[in-house]
């Protein structure tokens, strides 16, 4: 983290493009957080049917009403307000999703790169208990949430089913492991193929296009933010896992890591003390690139009206308003420009940080 801080500070002082991109992202995030306190004349879903399809800066000065600085859409909704609230929706989806996906990918990738196929030994009893624990996890973690979705349950119910899935799975492991250890065959330890298992899991995951999974989800359950977020987390972790695995394989061959291994340090200390500080830089760069991809995907899904609830203000849904009036160019130009600038700023920051990291190797 200190290395990244020094890189960011050096880039801020020497690279105008990095400075401009970072300033834009900070300003956009600050505005999105301060929306409830901003003196906006109109709310995001407030209708003004007297001024539909009003062009930007083309207001009528004879009226006493507050003006729509960036125009309105077909229902008289203020474009400025919707653009700002659309930024909050975009980051409310992309930030938590990419954070969870990066944590999952970093954990699995680092473990696969560190342990390989012959370094992690587990007792056969524990492996057998884990296989049995998949049953309650599948029931409480997959089947019940799907059933609750179809019945329109609230978020608290999904949270409880998630807790139940974890608790019952752990109970199965804790209960069955001592019982299985009494069997001579299951008492022995065997190498766990961590790397091979992760690679096969990534292959299966990436063989199904993400958009197909989203279409299947939209056909089964009503479009909700939680359902879409869970699906995106389960499909976006693979890129970070690949990167973390490759970096971990590289770090294992470095002299300082070989010296730490020869001193007899535990695998946990090798992972957290010596490997993770060198993994965080590339993973954070991948996080920025993934965030840009998620912003584009969220806008695309909103434009197609797939997977995202219709009560959420979104840049993609604003752009879709051009279908009813092709002359309303501002419905595409304004949210499209903000989306493009945000993605460009994220990629610019990521590019310069990545280039600096490569030069330091």
């Amino acid at each position: 983290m200190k290395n990244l801080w020094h890189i960011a500070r050096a880039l801020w002082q020497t690279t105008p493009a990095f400075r401009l991109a970072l300033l834009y992202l900070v300003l956009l995030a600050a505005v999105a957080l301060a929306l409830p306190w901003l003196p906006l004349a109109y709310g995001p879903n407030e209708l003004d049917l007297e001024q539909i399809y009003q062009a930007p800066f083309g207001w009528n000065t004879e009226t006493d009403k507050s003006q729509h600085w960036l125009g309105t859409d077909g229902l008289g909704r203020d474009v400025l307000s919707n653009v700002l609230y659309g930024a909050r929706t975009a980051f409310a989806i992309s930030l938590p999703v990419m954070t969870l996906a990066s944590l999952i990918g970093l954990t699995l990738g680092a473990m696969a790169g560190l342990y390989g196929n012959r370094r992690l030994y587990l007792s056969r009893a524990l492996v057998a208990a884990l296989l049995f624990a998949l049953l309650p996890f599948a029931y409480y973690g997959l089947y019940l949430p799907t059933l609750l979705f179809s019945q329109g349950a609230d978020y608290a119910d999904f949270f409880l089913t998630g807790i139940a899935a974890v608790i019952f799975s752990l109970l199965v492991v804790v209960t069955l492991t001592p019982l299985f250890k009494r069997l001579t065959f299951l008492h022995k330890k065997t190498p766990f193929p961590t790397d091979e298992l992760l690679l096969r899991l990534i292959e299966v995951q990436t063989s199904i296009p993400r958009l197909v999974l989203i279409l299947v989800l939209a056909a089964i359950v009503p479009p909700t933010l939680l359902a879409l977020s869970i699906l995106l987390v389960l499909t976006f972790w693979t890129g970070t896992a690949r990167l973390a695995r490759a970096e971990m394989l590289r770090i294992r061959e470095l002299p300082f890591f070989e010296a730490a291994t020869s001193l007899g340090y535990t695998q946990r200390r090798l992972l957290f003390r010596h490997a993770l500080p060198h993994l965080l830089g590339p993973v954070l760069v991948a996080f920025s690139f993934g965030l840009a991809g998620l912003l584009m995907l969220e806008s695309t899904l909103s434009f197609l009206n797939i997977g995202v609830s219709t009560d959420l203000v979104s840049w993609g849904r604003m752009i879709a308003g051009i279908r009813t009036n092709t002359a309303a160019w501002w419905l595409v130009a304004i949210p499209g420009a903000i989306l493009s600038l945000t993605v460009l700023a994220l990629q610019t920051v990521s590019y310069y940080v990545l280039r600096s990291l490569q030069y330091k190797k």
Side-chain angles (χ1 to χ4, degrees):
M1 293 301 293
K2 291 182 179 179
N3 189 27
L4 282 176
W5 171 252
H6 292 316
I7 289 175
R9 188 170 62 179
L11 288 172
W12 177 270
Q13 295 172 350
T14 60
T15 310
F18 176 85
R19 188 186 311 141
L20 187 62
L22 192 59
L23 277 175
Y24 170 81
L25 292 174
V26 171
L27 179 62
L28 184 64
V31 170
L33 290 174
L35 274 178
W37 300 279
L38 292 181
L40 297 176
Y42 295 91
N45 291 315
E46 187 175 345
L47 306 183
D48 187 1
L49 299 178
E50 297 178 0
Q51 302 186 65
I52 63 172
Y53 290 122
Q54 177 186 295
F57 309 110
W59 53 80
N60 184 3
T61 57
E62 296 178 359
T63 62
D64 295 331
K65 298 180 65 176
S66 299
Q67 306 302 331
H68 301 279
W69 292 92
L70 296 183
T72 61
D73 62 4
L75 295 175
R77 290 174 295 195
D78 187 65
V79 171
L80 174 60
S81 179
N82 278 265
V83 164
L84 297 179
Y85 277 88
R88 189 171 70 170
T89 300
F91 282 107
I93 294 176
S94 58
L95 273 176
V97 166
M98 201 60 212
T99 300
L100 289 175
S102 297
L103 288 175
I104 294 173
L106 175 62
T107 302
L108 296 180
M111 290 181 62
L114 178 64
Y115 294 116
N117 294 320
R118 308 291 300 180
R119 295 189 177 189
L120 180 62
Y121 281 82
L122 298 177
S123 68
R124 296 176 180 176
L126 178 59
V127 174
L130 288 173
L131 292 177
F132 276 95
L134 290 177
L135 296 176
F137 186 83
Y139 178 78
Y140 289 101
L142 299 176
Y143 174 73
L144 272 186
T146 304
L147 186 63
L148 291 173
F149 267 128
S150 62
Q151 297 176 354
D154 124 348
Y155 287 161
D157 297 325
F158 301 116
F159 182 70
L160 291 176
T161 56
I163 293 177
V166 174
I167 291 176
F168 283 108
S169 299
L170 289 176
L171 284 176
V172 169
V173 172
V174 171
T175 304
L176 294 183
T177 301
L179 296 178
F180 287 154
K181 282 185 177 180
R182 296 180 181 179
L183 302 176
T184 306
F185 174 73
L186 296 179
H187 185 69
K188 298 179 180 179
K189 288 189 176 183
T190 184
F192 189 75
T194 311
D195 192 33
E196 186 70 20
L197 186 62
L198 177 70
L199 291 177
R200 299 291 83 79
L201 183 61
I202 291 177
E203 287 178 3
V204 172
Q205 183 77 54
T206 54
S207 64
I208 305 174
R210 187 178 293 113
L211 187 58
V212 172
L213 292 175
I214 294 174
L215 290 173
V216 171
L217 177 71
I220 296 176
V221 301
T224 61
L225 183 60
L226 179 62
L228 179 64
S229 298
I230 292 174
L231 180 62
L232 292 177
V233 167
L234 294 178
T235 55
F236 260 84
W237 66 270
T238 53
T240 305
R242 278 201 189 102
L243 176 64
R245 174 186 175 272
E247 284 294 310
M248 191 67 232
L249 292 175
R250 181 186 67 82
I251 293 170
R252 272 174 46 183
E253 304 301 324
L254 295 178
F256 81 90
F257 198 84
E258 293 180 349
T261 305
S262 64
L263 290 174
Y265 291 158
T266 63
Q267 296 290 334
R268 180 180 301 177
R269 179 170 180 176
L270 289 172
L271 179 61
F272 289 98
R273 185 75 178 270
H274 301 281
L276 279 183
H278 292 80
L279 282 173
L280 287 179
V283 168
L284 287 177
V285 173
F287 175 87
S288 300
F289 279 114
L291 196 61
L294 270 172
L295 289 175
M296 294 293 295
L297 180 60
E298 184 274 330
S299 297
T300 302
L301 296 177
S302 299
F303 179 82
L304 298 175
N305 200 21
I306 298 173
V308 182
S309 178
T310 55
D311 59 349
L312 290 175
V313 180
S314 171
W315 290 334
R317 190 162 288 120
M318 291 180 64
I319 296 173
I322 195 68
R323 296 170 178 170
T324 56
N325 184 4
T326 54
W329 56 267
W330 57 92
L331 296 181
V332 173
I334 295 174
I338 297 297
L339 174 61
S340 301
L341 284 174
T342 305
V343 172
L344 179 61
L346 285 169
Q347 293 185 344
T348 300
V349 171
S350 303
Y351 167 74
Y352 283 110
V353 173
L354 179 61
R355 191 176 67 170
S356 299
L357 287 173
Q358 289 174 344
Y359 285 160
K360 284 184 173 292
K361 289 182 181 179

